[in-house]
Amino acid sequence: ATNLYEIDGIKILKLNDKKLRELSEVSIKKICEYNPEIIFWQGNPLSGTYIKKNNLNGIPIVVYISTVHMLWNELKNLKIKEIFPSNIINFFTSFWPFSTLVKNLNHSTITKIIVPNNSVFQRLVKLGVNNNKILQAPLCFQSDVNADLITNPLKSTKPFVLCYLGPSYSIRGTDILFDSVEELVKSGYDVKLLFLLRSPNPNTEKIFFEKLSQKKSIADNVVIKAGFLTKDELNKNILSSN
């Protein structure tokens, strides 16, 4: 899909490609025809490998990276089913010499790398990326949630709704999330967990987390929606949470 629009006088050509590491031939053609002054690449620590091979007419590229490149001492904590096949590339690139592929982010075409936090920054530097290229820009927004209800949820007359969106990998903290809800319920807090599970195996994983909720006696406090939600469904669920 292609969208051409304008923000604050800046013309933007938006390309939605399914693969994070690659551009389709159609997208490459459109970039060359549009010939923008800069490309903002929503990527990952391995994006430099692809960009190095395809300089796209030498157009400067800014890469946004929100994920930490995992090392073996972290990946080993995952279950086997979480590594294969979903994280097979992460598995191999967690070892040397494949981990050196991250250094391709130093390629001259990439003029800047934007990261949301110090964890991603430090990992990129550890793996050989030039720290002068990296800019930390935390994601921020103004919340309209009553701060008093966050610090004193027991004062609320409605359940405080926590929302999780994403894959079920334990490295994302899903195990800790269910443990936390269990502790809050035991302490008398009226909380609900809205678990939006983006999964290629929704039925299997939904059953797993339903059983986990029952085991922890929090089944009445957890709503699990598994699968790939539409934009409207996603917005509705997020807006219904605190």
Side-chain angles (χ1 to χ4, degrees):
T2 303
N3 297 303
L4 182 61
Y5 55 100
E6 190 172 308
I7 298 178
D8 292 337
I10 300 175
K11 293 181 179 179
I12 299 172
L13 174 67
K14 182 180 178 182
L15 303 172
N16 295 323
D17 274 10
K18 292 182 178 180
K19 294 184 178 180
L20 279 175
R21 298 179 180 87
E22 300 179 21
L23 287 173
S24 66
E25 291 183 8
V26 173
S27 291
I28 292 174
K29 182 180 179 181
K30 287 177 179 176
I31 290 172
C32 293
E33 290 175 350
Y34 191 68
N35 194 30
E37 294 181 53
I38 197 164
I39 295 172
F40 182 80
W41 188 290
Q42 189 87 10
N44 58 47
L46 297 173
S47 293
T49 304
Y50 176 81
I51 293 171
K52 182 179 179 180
K53 297 176 182 177
N54 302 267
N55 66 12
L56 299 171
N57 290 345
I59 301 168
I61 298 174
V62 173
V63 180
Y64 180 77
I65 300 173
S66 61
T67 54
V68 171
H69 185 81
M70 292 186 287
L71 302 178
W72 172 241
N73 64 333
E74 295 161 333
L75 274 177
K76 69 181 182 181
N77 295 313
L78 293 179
K79 302 177 181 70
I80 294 296
K81 68 176 183 178
E82 293 180 322
I83 296 178
F84 303 101
S86 303
N87 282 300
I88 188 65
I89 293 178
N90 290 333
F91 172 75
F92 284 112
T93 58
S94 68
F95 298 101
W96 187 90
F98 303 109
S99 59
T100 60
L101 290 172
V102 176
K103 288 197 292 186
N104 285 319
L105 290 168
N106 289 323
H107 191 261
S108 58
T109 306
I110 300 174
T111 57
K112 209 71 179 176
I113 301 164
I114 301 176
V115 299
N117 55 55
N118 193 49
S119 296
V120 179
F121 177 90
Q122 293 297 338
R123 182 56 54 82
L124 292 179
V125 172
K126 180 177 181 178
L127 293 171
V129 180
N130 184 349
N131 66 315
N132 292 323
K133 263 194 173 186
I134 309 172
L135 172 67
Q136 287 189 65
L139 294 175
C140 303
F141 61 92
Q142 185 65 40
S143 173
D144 59 0
V145 176
N146 187 328
D148 187 52
L149 294 182
I150 296 176
T151 53
N152 301 290
L154 290 174
K155 291 184 178 181
S156 176
T157 56
K158 298 180 180 179
F160 190 85
V161 182
L162 307 170
C163 181
Y164 172 85
L165 168 64
S168 64
Y169 309 133
S170 57
I171 201 165
R172 282 177 167 262
T174 49
D175 293 356
I176 297 172
L177 181 57
F178 276 76
D179 291 343
S180 299
V181 172
E182 179 185 22
E183 290 300 316
L184 287 169
V185 171
K186 284 181 179 178
S187 299
Y189 290 92
D190 189 7
V191 296
K192 292 274 187 185
L193 171 60
L194 180 56
F195 199 68
L196 306 181
L197 179 58
R198 193 173 73 242
S199 166
N201 304 303
N203 293 330
T204 302
E205 296 194 15
K206 183 177 182 181
I207 291 172
F208 171 81
F209 285 104
E210 284 176 341
K211 289 182 178 178
L212 181 62
S213 299
Q214 293 168 358
K215 181 180 178 181
K216 292 181 175 293
S217 300
I218 56 172
D220 292 338
N221 302 81
V222 179
V223 176
I224 302 172
K225 297 187 179 182
F228 294 91
L229 301 177
T230 65
K231 278 189 176 181
D232 288 340
E233 291 173 326
L234 185 60
N235 289 336
K236 183 179 178 180
N237 280 284
I238 290 177
L239 291 173
S240 71
S241 68
N242 297 107

